[in-house]
């Protein structure tokens, strides 16, 4: 990677939050399989699921993440 790519990556990561999930191995495998069936990355699948729940609960969901 070039220095410009490294700087761009660092700047991007500074703007992002980091929320870590630690499911059991079995639950993680189920989540990965569900994301694959949906044709999504695990991150996109989880963020969409969270946004949908927040919408159901009347909480404004942020719509700028990967989908």
């Amino acid at each position: 990677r070039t220095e410009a790519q490294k700087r761009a990556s660092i700047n991007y990561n500074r703007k992002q939050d980091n929320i870590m999930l630690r499911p059991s191995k079995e639950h993680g495998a189920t989540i990965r399989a569900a994301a694959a069936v949906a044709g999504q990355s695990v991150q996109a699948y989880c963020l969409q699921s969270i946004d949908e729940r927040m919408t159901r609960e009347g909480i404004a969901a942020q719509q700028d993440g990967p989908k």
Side-chain angles (χ1 to χ4, degrees):
R1 293 179 6 164
T2 67
E3 286 301 315
Q5 289 172 322
K6 289 178 188 176
R7 282 192 307 274
S9 181
I10 289 168
N11 287 334
Y12 173 80
N13 287 329
R14 283 184 181 148
K15 297 176 187 176
Q16 302 305 308
D17 197 355
N18 183 18
I19 299 171
M20 186 177 299
L21 303 174
R22 293 210 178 257
S24 67
K25 295 274 187 186
E26 296 80 14
H27 196 178
T30 302
I31 293 167
R32 289 178 192 282
V37 167
Q40 294 179 296
S41 67
V42 172
Q43 176 171 319
Y45 185 83
C46 289
L47 289 175
Q48 180 181 343
S49 298
I50 292 165
D51 286 346
E52 288 173 4
R53 180 171 179 171
M54 289 172 65
T55 298
R56 284 194 311 271
E57 295 177 355
I59 302 167
Q62 188 76 15
Q63 295 297 321
D64 64 353
K67 297 288 178 194

